[in-house]
């Protein structure tokens, strides 16, 4: 019996030891570590006891028993640490740990001393017999043995306590794993009690240490309680936010979570099974395939969006054993996405399409429609910046919202509208539905509604008939805006149509401004001169009129480019060039002794923005050392009127320097006779409009008479432009005009021709 038992103990010990070395080495969790310590301490205990049983002498037997008792203390410490880690009920502090170690150390020391002292203060070994075999067993136990016992029982209590607490406090599902550990511990205790009570010679309970070590290892590392898994899985499905409905192979609903009951508004399993049958549509489960789709449902009168998936469940042999549906409520995501999409495609302020989205939708709409059936209507507010500046951003915003709302009303089926930028809106609509009167009315209404008594908002609309649906929407809008440009200055015209002439104009404008720089540097600009003649027929000089000698187009008259250059501000460079050419010519004449002749040069209203007129002209006469009297300056009436006070000062300074200033085109603008008295100019150039044949010729002549007599009285010289007939000359001479300029005398001519004609006689 003894031999069988010791062999069993040793085999068991070796097996457990090997297990402890192999398993869980890489697992560094504290619990696994505690289990490994148990798996090392348990075989040591068993080996020590086996060694004691087979000891040949009393001394070695006592030594082995002492080691056995000490190691079993250590094993209990390991178990205690394991139990604490496993249950997390309480922790022991370092001080308590030290006390534990000390107690065990004292116990171990006493055991060893017991061997050498030969006093039986703990235990004494004696020879025993077991079925004819003799071995040393514990023959007597001394009083101090109780100390060892106390340690053992104390530690058992400490181990059992947290397990019991856990069993009482944990959810039912978890109790099992604590039960199993507690039961294995109980087995050891029971076996031990049995050994002591029955005064057995061999302690069979030692084997239970090994069993317990293996059990702990098995329950913690290898065995995952099936019930726990199932419990966790079913509770996670139960608590899911998604609906889950499971079916067996026959199509019977075997489970549905509470969310699913809400989704199907079901009380029993009937609705689930109906849904299943509808989806299967007569197929067998084995014929169906996993699938995903979207569904919308009305829940509490609100639309909700679901992502539904169907999955088959198969066993390990790939046989279909059931299936389930899962409905994920993605309403929040869908609504968030919709809100984001709205933000990306709509204008924040007005809530209508933004430019990019408007372009996209128009592109599709126009492409799908019959060619030529749509038109693009774009709007622009005159001086919108002023509205913001004067009335504030809030009023400005209100105006814009107002316009957006009007667009909404005007847009019927098939129309697309949006806000292109700041104060620019566009609507793309079927041509047949565009009614200019309706738009004009709406524009007027917006003006009345948005303005104040002092400021009325003025809006213009440009229309482009979309003939070619393949051009970019931005180009369609550009064309509509090109049309607006033609009426921008008007207060009465509010709608303009685009035609191809406009585009050609704009293209040729662009071409011209592109060519300008090189043309100027290349000397393509020169001036012609038109003689100015006194009443007595004497040549006094002439007006410098610029000409572009274009390498391809020949001579281009100023009417074709002055306006464009004024728009872009390039006019200033051109004028400075002409002024310089005129001064150079005057210097040449001076050198030839021809100092009685003047040249009048034109100053564009735009030149005043871009150049310091005083500095430029004084600089020029000083550079060419000519008399300022010979360079006459023509300033248009409109330039003077645009900033009367400032121009007055400038004109006076120029006159003080010695220049003669002429007011060009007098009578073409808003001139008033009353204004003449404040005007410090030397000469009045009366606009040729007064000489044109009109129904009111008599009245024109009367006015002309008045102007001339008034300027005479104010000491101003009068030049009349555009004189074409002898009759005009006679009339003008009669009413007191001093100087004439016109085709009757001569057309503008190249300077060389002028010189030849008048100087070489
Ligand atoms: P403007 O200053 O009023 O110049 C007079 C224009 O009337 C000239 O046209 C001239 O050719 C034209 N003219 C002269 N006599 C008669 C006539 O008897 N009958 C008719 N029907 N027309 C006559 P042009 O040279 O084509 O110049 C047109 C306008 O271009 C000028 O009007 C002036 O405003 C502008 N311009 C010409 N040269 C320059 C320049 O160097 N700088 C600037 N800024 N503007 C210039
Ligand atoms: Ca002129
Ligand atoms: Ca003129």
């Amino acid at each position: 019996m003894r031999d069988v038992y010791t062999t069993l103990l040793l085999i068991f010990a070796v097996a457990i030891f090997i297990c402890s070395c192999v398993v869980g080495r890489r697992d560094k969790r504290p619990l696994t570590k505690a289990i490994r310590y148990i798996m090392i301490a348990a075989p040591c205990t068993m080996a020590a006891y086996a060694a004691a049983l087979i000891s040949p002498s009393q001394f070695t037997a006592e030594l082995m028993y002492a080691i056995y008792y000490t190691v079993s203390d250590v094993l209990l410490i390991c178990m205690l640490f394991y139990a604490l880690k496993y249950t997390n009920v309480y922790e022991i502090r370092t001080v308590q740990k030290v006390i534990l170690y000390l107690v065990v150390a004292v116990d171990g020391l006493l055991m060893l001393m017991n061997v050498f002292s030969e006093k039986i203060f703990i235990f004494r070994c004696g020879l025993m017999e077991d079925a004819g075999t003799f071995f040393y067993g514990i023959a007597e136990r001394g009083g101090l043995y109780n100390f060892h016992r106390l340690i053992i029982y104390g530690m058992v209590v400490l181990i059992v306590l947290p397990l019991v607490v856990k069993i009482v406090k944990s959810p039912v599902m978890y109790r099992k794993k604590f039960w199993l550990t507690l039961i294995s511990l109980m087995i050891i205790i029971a076996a031990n009690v049995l050994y002591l009570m029955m005064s057995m010679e061999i302690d069979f309970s030692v084997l239970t240490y090994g069993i317990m070590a293996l059990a702990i290892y098995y329950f913690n590392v290898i065995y995952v309680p099936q019930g726990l898994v199932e419990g966790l899985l079913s509770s996670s499905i139960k608590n899911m936010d998604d609906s889950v409905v499971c079916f067996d192979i026959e199509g019977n609903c075997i489970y549905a979570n509470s969310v699913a009951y809400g989704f199907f508004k079901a009380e029993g399993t009937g609705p689930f099974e109906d849904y299943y049958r509808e989806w299967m549509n007569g197929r067998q489960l084995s014929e169906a395939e996993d699938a995903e789709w979207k569904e919308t449902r009305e829940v509490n009168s609100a639309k909700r969006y679901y992502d539904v998936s169907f999955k088959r469940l198969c066993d390990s042999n790939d046989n279909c054993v059931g299936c389930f549906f899962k409905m994920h409520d993605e309403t929040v995501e869908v609504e968030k996405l919709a809100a984001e999409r709205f933000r990306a495609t709509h204008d924040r302020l007005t809530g209508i399409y933004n430019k990019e989205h408007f372009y996209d939708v128009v592109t599709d709409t126009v492409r799908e429609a019959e060619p030529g059936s749509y038109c693009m209507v774009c709007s622009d507010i005159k001086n919108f910046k002023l509205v913001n500046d004067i009335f504030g951003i809030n009023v400005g915003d209100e105006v814009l919202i107002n316009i957006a709302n009007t667009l909404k009303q005007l847009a019927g089926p098939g129309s697309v509208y949006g806000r292109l930028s700041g104060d620019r809106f566009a609507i793309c609509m079927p041509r047949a539905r565009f009614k200019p009167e309706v738009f004009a009315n709406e524009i007027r209404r917006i003006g009345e509604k948005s303005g104040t008594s002092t400021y009325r908002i003025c809006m213009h609309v440009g229309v482009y008939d979309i003939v070619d649906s393949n051009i970019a929407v931005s180009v369609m809008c550009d064309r509509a805006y090109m049309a607006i440009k033609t009426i921008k200055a008007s207060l009465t015209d509010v709608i303009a149509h685009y035609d191809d002439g406009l585009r050609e104009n704009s293209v040729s404008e662009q071409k011209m401004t592109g060519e300008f720089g090189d043309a100027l540097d290349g000397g393509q600009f020169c001036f012609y001169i038109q003689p100015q003649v006194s009443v007595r027929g004497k040549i006094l000089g002439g007006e410098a009129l610029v000409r572009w000698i274009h390498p391809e187009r020949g001579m281009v008259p100023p009417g074709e480019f002055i306006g464009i250059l004024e728009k872009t501000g390039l006019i200033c460079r051109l004028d400075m060039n002409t002024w310089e050419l005129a001064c150079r010519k005057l210097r040449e004449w001076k050198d030839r002794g021809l100092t009685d002749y003047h040249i009048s040069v034109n100053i564009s209203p735009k030149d005043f923005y871009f150049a310091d007129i005083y500095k430029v002209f004084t600089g020029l006469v000083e550079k060419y050392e000519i008399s300022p009297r010979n360079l006459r300056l023509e300033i248009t009436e409109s330039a003077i009127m645009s900033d009367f006070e400032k121009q007055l000062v400038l004109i006076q300074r120029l006159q003080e320097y010695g220049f003669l200033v002429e007011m060009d085109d007098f009578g073409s603008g808003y001139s008033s006779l009353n204004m003449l008295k404040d005007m410090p100019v030397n000469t009045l150039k009366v606009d040729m409009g007064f000489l044109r044949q009109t129904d009111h010729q008599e009245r024109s002549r009367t006015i002309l008479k008045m102007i001339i007599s008034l300027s005479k009285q104010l000491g101003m010289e009068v030049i009349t432009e555009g004189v074409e007939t002898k009759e005009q000359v006679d009339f003008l001479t009669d009413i007191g005009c001093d100087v004439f300029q016109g085709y009757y005398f001569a057309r503008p001519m190249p300077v060389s021709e002028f010189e030849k004609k008048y100087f070489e006689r």
Side-chain angles (χ1 to χ4, degrees), residues 543 602 634 664-665 685-688 721:
E543 179 179 359
N602 288 287
E634 290 193 10
D664 200 2
D665 300 342
K685 275 193 92 170
V686 180
D687 189 69
M688 28 190 169
E721 292 186 276

Side-chain angles (χ1 to χ4, degrees), residues 157-403:
V157 170
L158 286 177
I159 294 166
V160 170
L161 211 63
L163 288 170
V164 173
V165 170
K166 257 329 217 200
I167 290 167
V168 173
K169 283 196 171 170
S170 301
V172 182
M173 214 157 62
Y174 284 91
R175 282 183 194 163
K176 195 171 167 189
K177 72 177 205 175
F178 299 110
W179 264 124
L180 291 170
T181 316
L182 188 67
I183 288 169
S184 52
L185 210 77
M186 285 307 178
I187 292 171
I188 302 177
I189 296 169
N192 215 276
V193 168
L194 208 69
Y195 156 73
L196 289 174
M197 287 205 347
M198 299 191 63
S199 314
M200 286 176 171
E201 266 134 27
I202 297 175
D203 185 354
F204 291 103
S205 72
V206 178
L207 192 64
T208 56
Y209 295 164
I211 296 172
M212 178 216 57
L214 280 182
I216 286 178
Y217 168 72
Y218 178 75
F219 287 130
N220 282 281
V221 182
I222 297 174
Y223 169 80
V224 182
Q226 197 52 40
L228 182 65
V229 175
E230 279 165 10
L232 281 176
L233 283 179
S234 81
S235 113
S236 51
I237 290 174
K238 207 162 148 188
N239 292 311
M240 252 162 104
D241 294 332
D242 299 347
S243 309
V244 177
V245 192
C246 303
F247 296 86
D248 67 8
I249 196 158
E250 309 290 327
N252 301 312
C253 172
I254 50 163
Y255 176 79
N257 63 4
S258 57
V259 188
Y261 276 94
F263 180 84
F264 284 92
K265 296 190 187 105
E267 303 213 327
T269 55
F272 304 130
E273 282 157 8
D274 292 345
Y275 186 82
Y276 174 88
R277 271 191 292 280
E278 201 180 309
W279 156 250
M280 279 303 176
N281 197 15
R283 288 175 299 175
Q284 288 301 310
L285 186 55
S286 53
E287 295 160 358
E289 278 180 3
D290 292 358
E292 278 182 18
W293 65 94
K294 309 262 179 211
E295 262 186 50
T296 48
R297 286 194 174 216
E298 189 107 356
V299 179
N300 297 334
S301 65
K303 208 174 190 184
R304 299 204 72 86
Y305 302 85
Y306 294 92
D307 196 7
V308 186
S309 55
F310 166 80
K311 279 213 158 49
R312 294 184 315 152
L313 298 166
C314 297
D315 65 9
S316 51
N317 297 324
D318 223 20
N319 292 322
C320 209
V321 291
C323 65
F324 70 90
F325 289 94
K326 191 179 78 138
M327 287 85 176
H328 171 68
D329 184 346
E330 50 171 19
T331 310
V332 176
E333 291 100 310
V334 168
E335 282 173 355
K336 212 166 125 191
L337 206 75
E340 257 166 40
R341 199 174 298 143
F342 186 87
R343 268 200 297 279
T345 52
H346 288 69
D347 172 50
R348 286 236 172 130
L349 177 70
T350 58
I352 63 175
Y353 287 172
N354 62 17
K355 182 170 88 181
E356 290 72 23
H357 193 54
F358 173 76
Y359 282 3
D360 288 347
V361 181
V362 170
T363 309
D364 296 343
T365 311
V366 169
R367 281 212 183 126
E368 280 160 22
E370 205 169 294
S373 61
Y374 266 80
C375 64
M376 177 68 78
V377 186
C378 295
S379 76
D380 190 20
I381 300 175
K382 196 172 172 181
N383 291 335
F384 185 68
K385 210 178 107 41
L386 270 185
V387 178
N388 279 331
D389 288 350
I390 300 172
F391 304 111
I393 300 286
N394 288 345
V395 175
D397 284 354
E398 214 173 277
V399 173
L400 297 176
I401 293 168
N402 221 331
I403 295 173

